[in-house]
């Protein structure tokens, strides 16, 4: 592609349709561009994303005493009694713990010495990836799904990379970097939110 064509493409980005819903204790937002933005297929995909995130929250929320992960953490269930998706998340967490030399761990001790099972650091990104299957099925459509600090984006239909802003942890009104994403994910973590 010549430089002139590239500049034209960047100056005329496609229209974006946005949706937001409160799920998992935080705003989940979606940006769509391309063929399916405001039609029934887009609506159905968004409803499927929200339904999947709500279903996953009913299994993994630490803030609800009735979830499987809460019951597992309290010792009311064993891992053997949990469904495959709990095993998948715990295995993913274990691989991240190994890769980080223990800097990341879902089982940790509180100041009181109690053991806590906290899958929050891994489950949100895992959930967004699973929920995005409905968006991946939309032909000729780009998406950017944000679940807090976990963002999953695909821009293969239009070729216009999503520009993911990284906010300053000391000043959430300030963007300190942008990351272009054609097909991938970006995750951040901080104490500001």
């Amino acid at each position: 592609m010549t430089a002139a064509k590239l500049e034209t493409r960047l100056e005329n980005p496609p229209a974006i349709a946005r949706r937001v819903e409160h799920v998992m204790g935080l705003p989940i937002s979606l940006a769509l561009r391309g063929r399916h933005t405001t039609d029934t297929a887009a609506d159905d995909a968004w409803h499927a994303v929200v339904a999947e995130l709500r279903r996953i929250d009913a299994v993994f929320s630490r803030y609800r005493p009735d979830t499987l992960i809460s019951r597992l953490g309290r010792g009311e269930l064993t891992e053997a009694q949990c469904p495959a998706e709990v095993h998948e998340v715990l295995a993913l967490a274990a691989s991240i713990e190994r890769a980080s030399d223990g800097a990341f761990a879902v089982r940790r001790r509180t100041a009181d010495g109690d053991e806590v099972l906290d899958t929050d650091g891994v489950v949100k990104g895992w959930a967004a990836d699973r929920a995005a299957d409905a968006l991946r099925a939309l032909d000729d459509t780009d998406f950017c799904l944000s679940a807090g600090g976990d963002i999953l984006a695909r821009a293969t239909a239009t070729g216009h990379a999503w520009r993911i802003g990284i906010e300053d942890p000391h000043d959430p009104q300030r963007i300190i970097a942008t990351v272009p994403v054609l097909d991938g994910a970006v995750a951040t973590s901080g104490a500001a939110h």
Side-chain angles (χ1 to χ4, degrees):
M1 177 177 302
T2 67
K5 286 184 181 176
L6 178 61
E7 288 175 17
T8 301
R9 285 180 61 194
L10 295 176
E11 289 174 10
N12 300 311
I16 297 173
R18 299 181 190 279
R19 293 169 170 78
V20 178
E21 182 95 17
H22 198 80
V23 184
M24 299 174 74
L26 58 126
I28 305 294
S29 64
L30 173 65
L32 292 171
R33 64 183 179 203
R35 181 174 172 198
H36 299 289
T37 55
T38 58
D39 61 6
T40 302
D43 292 342
D44 291 347
W46 174 239
H47 293 304
V49 165
V50 171
E52 179 66 357
L53 292 175
R54 288 191 196 288
R55 188 195 67 72
I56 290 170
D57 191 46
V59 174
F60 288 99
S61 175
R62 288 186 312 122
Y63 306 101
R64 296 169 46 183
D66 62 327
T67 65
L68 290 174
I69 210 69
S70 291
R71 293 177 62 209
L72 179 62
R74 289 191 305 267
E76 296 171 8
L77 295 174
T78 65
E79 286 185 35
Q81 293 172 304
C82 292
E85 63 190 352
V86 172
H87 294 273
E88 184 179 340
V89 166
L90 293 176
L92 177 60
S95 70
I96 295 169
E97 184 172 0
R98 284 188 302 277
S100 69
D101 289 327
F104 174 86
V106 296
R107 287 187 171 82
R108 57 181 166 75
R109 296 264 176 215
T110 65
D112 300 340
D114 296 330
E115 185 177 278
V116 175
L117 176 60
D118 178 359
T119 59
D120 289 358
V122 67
V123 81
K124 193 170 39 145
W126 173 86
D129 187 49
R130 286 180 65 118
D133 285 346
L135 302 171
R136 289 182 189 101
L138 293 173
D139 295 333
D140 303 320
T141 305
D142 294 344
F143 67 85
C144 184
L145 179 64
S146 175
D150 295 273
I151 296 174
L152 198 64
R154 183 183 72 185
T156 55
T158 64
H160 292 276
W162 293 101
R163 293 174 36 97
I164 310 303
I166 309 298
E167 71 182 30
D168 184 330
H170 305 291
D171 179 6
Q173 301 299 315
R174 186 171 161 253
I175 301 296
I176 58 173
T178 57
V179 178
V181 178
L182 280 171
D183 192 6
V186 175
T188 60
S189 183
H193 303 287

